Amino acid sequence: MKHPSLVVCRCEEVTMEQLEEAYASGSCTSRQLKMKTRATMGACQGRVCRALVETWIHVKNPDGPRDAELLSYRPPIRPITFGQLAKDED
């Protein structure tokens, strides 16, 4: 581990060290790492770090299936009323 304090997921402040620890404890897929560390669960919903996490896992285990439990993109949701939509308010 070259840079343990390197932040992988800015939204949830997940570091490389946390990913390494989760991987060592048995979280070996992107979905398992997500549940263990909250990486990709922040405000951007993984749009910034998802590919990085999945690539990191592939580097750790190049013989593993590339598409096993890939994470999906989810848009951030902020509730607004129909009135706000009709008036084009923020």
Side-chain angles (χ1 to χ4, degrees):
M1 178 175 18
K2 296 177 184 173
H3 303 285
S5 61
L6 178 71
V7 175
V8 177
C9 176
R10 291 182 288 177
C11 297
E12 292 294 322
E13 298 180 3
V14 178
T15 63
M16 184 62 72
E17 181 178 28
Q18 290 171 301
L19 284 181
E20 292 280 355
E21 288 171 1
Y23 189 86
S25 74
S27 299
C28 299
T29 67
S30 51
R31 183 166 256 350
Q32 291 169 343
L33 283 171
K34 175 182 180 176
M35 296 300 128
K36 184 90 171 183
T37 66
R38 294 195 49 82
T40 77
M41 294 178 80
C44 80
Q45 291 294 291
R47 285 193 308 264
V48 175
C49 62
R50 183 186 69 82
L52 180 60
V53 170
E54 290 173 349
T55 301
W56 180 81
I57 290 169
H58 181 68
V59 168
K60 294 293 276 184
N61 184 11
D63 296 330
R66 182 73 167 150
D67 61 348
E69 293 189 27
L70 290 179
L71 300 174
S72 61
Y73 287 103
R74 293 192 179 140
I77 296 174
R78 187 181 82 183
I80 61 172
T81 65
F82 284 109
Q84 289 171 314
L85 284 174
K87 294 177 186 176
D88 195 28
E89 292 179 4
D90 291 333

